[in-house]
Amino acid sequence: MDVKQLKLLNKELSMNQEEYQKKYQEYASQREKVKQDPWRLHYHLMPETGWVNDPNGLCQFKGTYHIYYQYSPFDVEGQTKLWGHMTSSDLIHFKQGEPVLFPDSRVDERGVYSGSAFIKDDTIHYFYTGNVKLIDKEYDYIYAGREQNLVHVESQDGYHFSDKEWLLNQSDYPQEMSCHIRDPKIYEKDNRYYMVLGARSMDDQGCVLIYEGTDLKDWQYKMCITTNEPFGYMWECPDLFDLDHQQFLLTCPQGLPHVGYRYENVYQSGYFPIEIDFKNQTYTLKDFKELDYGFDFYAPQTFEDEQGRRILIGWMGLPDIDYTNPTCERGWQHALTMPRVLTQQNGIIHQSPVEEMKALRQSHTQTTVSNFNDCHLNGYVFEMRLAIQKSDDFILQLRKGAYLKYDQSSKLLTLAFEECGYGRDERHIELETINNIWIYSDTSALEIYINDGSYVLTSRVYSLENEDNIQFIKSHMEATIDFYKLSSIIVK
């Protein structure tokens, strides 16, 4: 691409609020068309039109949950990046807001990339990466030619933002780093603030940079966290937090080779139990564990709500995949996961849907595995909980062409798709035994939690009408089952 083409692309990918509002009016008929799509989800947040990816700026402020997200409202491939915005007081009833941040300035002209929120003294502080690609000549945009600027804005209400402040630029990062440094998240300890940034070094090793500050404005480089041996070439979306007196570092490594049934996706999402001594600039990393083993999970972000819960929301999608989402042809792509509460036991994170999801339960059927098929249950939108007394082989059809299977001899749990996967085939978890399974099925999505949420499988799935029969094809296990039809969240 020559310099002239790059200049045109820069212009196409920038957008201010006035341009957004004009185009939004032009898309009225497209929004009505998208609403009629039977693959629209019932209890997952999704774009009105266009593309959604990373959750950003998650927080609860004065009783209101604010969910921001990477948003390309007018194209399904995620080119122009804004921050979309939804709010809720109960995580069941949502209000669709207007985008709050636009790629409309020198510091973010190629995209308002991912970032986070930090609440202090009745003010929400937002930090994000402003993406800029230089166009004076041709670059590879990995080792040269890209700016990843740290930008700060403030708000007193979560809706109205201050002017953008440019806090760090490429010259403020260590020289041994590439141009890929992004996704700021703030951690407070002992009256000091620490900002984690995902990074890729010049020798292609993934890492997390830590900056230190005392006032949320002036940041000084502190230290770098990485593994002894290379573990991927880039670590995206870092998140540092305490959970039940244990420190965790979440991140999304790119470039991990498959190891048996681990790291089956193109990019991973997971966590390290970690202990950081900021004063002495030392740390201890324990083994990395995947947060989700399904086809469609990436860029999770957590926050602590006003009840003291550590809540995680992830992008129900992945970049650079070799399978497809047929909703693109219908004007929209991707969604966010359900909000999940995190707990930990012995350094293992457990995820479970927020309690508020129980408000969606409607009809209830209680039965056993041996009697399940006689109940003739069907539908795409349901919750199914299995309390397993005897772990053994089973094949559960979740809908036509979608199966959850366990083989006792190989100790292997498999999520398998046929045509409804649109290129998704199988994902696996090695498990000695299964104690319980919680299945959340939506029109075109699945979230499956195993063994109290210590393992999770998240995936999109696309079935046709009248392919919603739920049945055990085979089962030698013993379990009691609670099955609930679910209603929808409300988005206005």
Side-chain angles (χ1 to χ4, degrees), residues 44 264-269 292-300 314-319 321-326 333-338 340 415 417 420-425 427 444-448 456-462:
H44 290 89
E264 291 190 287
N265 282 338
V266 59
Y267 305 132
Q268 317 310 317
S269 298
D292 197 293
Y293 295 77
F295 291 90
D296 297 277
F297 183 87
Y298 197 68
W315 170 27
M316 196 184 294
L318 262 174
I321 53 176
D322 59 4
Y323 36 91
T324 61
N325 294 301
Q333 184 172 201
H334 298 311
L336 301 182
T337 68
M338 291 186 293
R340 305 173 180 180
L415 178 63
F417 295 121
C420 61
Y422 280 78
R424 296 163 179 84
D425 47 16
R427 289 293 181 264
S444 58
L446 290 169
E447 295 190 41
I448 302 171
V456 186
L457 290 154
T458 299
S459 185
R460 300 304 301 274
V461 56
Y462 301 96

Side-chain angles (χ1 to χ4, degrees), residues 64-319:
T64 298
Y65 290 97
H66 292 269
I67 299 173
Y68 308 90
Y69 46 89
Q70 292 281 281
Y71 185 33
S72 297
F74 310 120
D75 75 87
V76 297
E77 297 300 333
Q79 297 298 310
T80 304
K81 291 294 177 65
L82 326 176
W83 269 30
H85 186 204
M86 290 191 186
T87 57
S88 177
S89 61
D90 60 5
L91 298 177
I92 297 296
H93 299 83
F94 291 86
K95 183 176 180 181
Q96 176 76 61
E98 287 196 356
V100 293
L101 290 171
F102 298 84
D104 58 2
S105 72
R106 162 68 182 84
V107 299
D108 56 17
E109 61 188 12
R110 283 292 290 269
V112 180
Y113 275 21
S114 286
S116 58
F118 185 80
I119 298 171
K120 195 70 177 179
D121 299 328
D122 281 337
T123 299
I124 311 176
H125 296 264
Y126 302 88
F127 301 86
Y128 71 89
T129 298
N131 187 48
V132 174
K133 287 187 175 182
L134 304 182
I135 56 174
D136 57 317
K137 60 181 180 180
E138 291 192 28
Y139 295 99
D140 62 16
Y141 297 117
I142 298 174
Y143 309 106
R146 180 192 293 266
E147 294 178 3
Q148 303 267 259
N149 300 310
L150 177 69
V151 187
H152 169 252
V153 294
E154 299 178 5
S155 178
Q156 306 301 315
D157 59 8
Y159 302 93
H160 304 92
F161 285 26
S162 65
D163 291 338
K164 298 173 181 178
E165 295 181 271
W166 190 355
L167 299 187
L168 296 177
N169 61 33
Q170 213 68 28
S171 66
D172 296 305
Y173 304 133
Q175 289 186 348
E176 63 269 24
M177 293 295 125
S178 74
C179 295
H180 284 255
I181 300 169
R182 53 181 173 269
D183 311 333
K185 188 76 159 50
I186 309 302
Y187 174 82
E188 184 178 12
K189 187 176 180 65
D190 299 330
N191 298 315
R192 288 185 175 271
Y193 306 111
Y194 299 93
M195 176 175 58
V196 293
L197 287 161
R200 174 179 183 166
S201 70
M202 291 295 285
D203 58 358
D204 298 325
Q205 182 160 351
C207 57
V208 167
L209 306 182
I210 297 185
Y211 282 70
E212 184 180 43
T214 57
D215 61 0
L216 297 174
K217 297 288 185 72
D218 184 25
W219 296 96
Q220 302 298 320
Y221 177 65
K222 184 73 171 178
M223 60 193 293
C224 176
I225 292 176
T226 190
T227 48
N228 292 329
E229 298 296 325
F231 192 71
Y233 59 78
M234 172 73 193
W235 291 6
E236 288 198 304
C237 305
D239 192 344
L240 180 65
F241 57 86
D242 297 316
L243 191 60
D244 301 332
H245 310 293
Q246 169 67 58
Q247 217 170 38
F248 289 93
L249 175 65
L250 269 60
T251 190
C252 297
Q254 297 184 337
L256 297 184
H258 293 181
V259 179
Y261 291 113
R262 300 177 67 194
Y263 316 142
E264 291 190 287
N265 282 338
V266 59
Y267 305 132
Q268 317 310 317
S269 298
Y271 61 91
F272 297 98
I274 190 171
E275 293 179 9
I276 304 176
D277 182 339
F278 291 105
K279 182 177 180 181
N280 295 306
Q281 299 180 42
T282 61
Y283 61 91
T284 302
L285 275 181
K286 296 185 179 179
D287 290 340
F288 180 84
K289 181 174 172 56
E290 291 175 82
L291 273 167
D292 197 293
Y293 295 77
F295 291 90
D296 297 277
F297 183 87
Y298 197 68
Q301 186 173 111
T302 77
F303 68 103
E304 186 175 293
D305 77 352
E306 293 168 0
Q307 300 178 44
R309 301 180 297 181
R310 175 65 54 178
I311 296 177
L312 176 150
I313 298 176
W315 170 27
M316 196 184 294
L318 262 174

Side-chain angles (χ1 to χ4, degrees), residues 23-67:
K23 201 159 188 178
Y24 185 83
Q25 296 301 321
E26 296 171 356
Y27 263 64
S29 62
Q30 177 69 5
R31 288 194 297 277
E32 290 304 312
K33 177 183 176 182
V34 169
K35 284 180 183 178
Q36 307 308 313
D37 183 1
W39 284 327
R40 294 290 282 177
L41 295 154
H42 284 219
Y43 56 86
H44 290 89
L45 297 178
M46 55 193 165
E48 284 188 296
T49 59
W51 159 293
V52 65
N53 60 296
D54 305 8
N56 292 158
L58 304 181
C59 61
Q60 187 181 20
F61 187 67
K62 297 182 180 180
T64 298
Y65 290 97
H66 292 269
I67 299 173

